[in-house]
Amino acid sequence: MIPKKGMIKSTDAFERLVHWWLAITCIILILTGLGMMFHSFNFLGTPLGGLKNLKLVHNFTGLLFAPALFFAILIWWREAGVFKMPEDLEWIKVAGGYLWHVDDVPETGKYNPGQKAFFLAVAIFGILMVASGLIMWFPLSLPSGLVQWMYPLHALGMLVIFPFVLVHIYLGTIGVPGSARAIFTGYVTRSWAEKQCPGWLKEMEEEGRLEIYGEEKEEAAHG
Ligand code: HEM
């Protein structure tokens, strides 16, 4: 996992911090949520001393998830939150070559439409989860009809986010080998970048903004 000379920088330290803050809180919320929702997952409360504590962990993790979501939206909305037409539509038509063989997959920027869909699902339904969760926790004097709507909305958000997260973890590890490096070390190989985000790679090179591992050191040594 240690970056090697010639690797390309794809994420900075703040992005990685926000990613793992978001990812860890999101996974805890999913597990504790499942533990409360289904009898067959009630056992998840046992190590915490019961379902009451499971609920406490869920609610307070929600409070930690909210700022992570805020920073995630701030960092990624430009690159992962806006579809670029017609390129993205062309990519969607061939499912990015993920489902059947495609000779020439249309080029994408930093994030492909699948990743954009994931980001948007997390952003939109994440906000919905935080809002509905807070209203259920602190109904204050809100109309009871409104508060009751928060329960099915919260469950709907879970139904959307959970499968997306499973696919994201699969693609980030086994599905597209070399991706996890981006979010653990900040660096990816050139061949990975050429395949996964060729448009971004070209743009960065043209603008002279590409950071390559080991190159600065070399310059410093020569200087
Ligand atoms: C636990 C295993 C996980 C792994 C290995 C993983 C891996 C990755 C990787 C490699 C990227 C960067 C992709 C790139 O630069 O091309 C990324 C981005 C991202 N991850 Fe994760 N991730 C994990 C969990 C999660 C979870 C649970 C969430 C929940 C919200 C999440 C949310 C995001 C978001 C919003 C992005 C940025 C935009 C996008 O790719 O759509 N990740 N992740």
Side-chain angles (χ1 to χ4, degrees):
M1 273 277 183
I2 299 166
K4 291 189 189 84
K5 203 172 163 220
M7 279 191 167
I8 289 164
K9 187 163 179 180
S10 73
T11 58
D12 63 28
F14 186 62
E15 259 178 293
R16 298 198 296 281
L17 173 78
V18 170
H19 177 268
W20 289 116
W21 176 8
L22 184 77
I24 292 167
T25 50
C26 182
I27 291 169
I28 295 175
L29 285 168
I30 289 174
L31 291 176
T32 49
L34 284 174
M36 289 188 290
M37 216 168 162
F38 299 107
H39 280 299
S40 45
F41 283 99
N42 281 172
F43 70 91
L44 290 169
T46 315
L48 299 170
L51 290 182
K52 267 197 172 166
N53 290 347
L54 192 71
K55 185 170 169 49
L56 275 180
V57 172
H58 185 81
N59 291 6
F60 282 97
T61 308
L63 293 183
L64 294 175
F65 172 80
L69 183 65
F70 171 77
F71 287 119
I73 294 172
L74 213 65
I75 294 174
W76 287 310
W77 77 267
R78 267 176 228 272
E79 283 172 321
V82 186
F83 286 96
K84 259 192 169 177
M85 295 302 171
E87 307 93 292
D88 281 352
L89 190 64
E90 294 306 313
W91 189 97
I92 293 167
K93 280 185 195 160
V94 297
Y98 281 93
L99 302 179
W100 60 88
H101 177 78
V102 177
D103 283 328
D104 290 307
V105 178
E107 286 196 355
T108 56
K110 182 97 189 255
Y111 297 105
N112 66 44
Q115 289 170 301
K116 288 181 183 176
F118 170 62
F119 168 79
L120 287 170
V122 170
I124 295 167
F125 285 90
I127 293 173
L128 186 86
M129 293 308 261
V130 172
S132 53
L134 282 174
I135 294 176
M136 288 188 288
W137 195 5
F138 306 108
L140 305 172
S141 47
L142 289 167
S144 63
L146 179 87
V147 177
Q148 272 168 19
W149 267 104
M150 298 304 128
Y151 291 85
L153 271 182
H154 208 70
L156 173 75
M158 167 78 163
L159 287 179
V160 174
I161 293 177
F162 188 30
F164 260 115
V165 165
L166 287 182
V167 173
H168 175 74
I169 296 176
Y170 168 74
L171 289 175
T173 51
I174 312 162
V176 184
S179 304
R181 269 204 198 110
I183 215 74
F184 278 107
T185 70
Y187 287 87
V188 293
T189 61
R190 182 172 278 274
S191 61
W192 183 93
E194 278 166 357
K195 197 158 178 262
Q196 298 304 321
C197 39
W200 172 81
L201 183 63
K202 276 183 200 155
E203 200 183 303
M204 295 292 280
E205 277 184 322
E206 276 165 21
E207 293 171 8
R209 291 197 291 133
L210 202 65
E211 281 185 50
I212 301 173
Y213 192 78
E215 291 220 333
E216 270 170 17
K217 272 186 200 156
E218 228 183 24
E219 274 167 23
H222 287 305

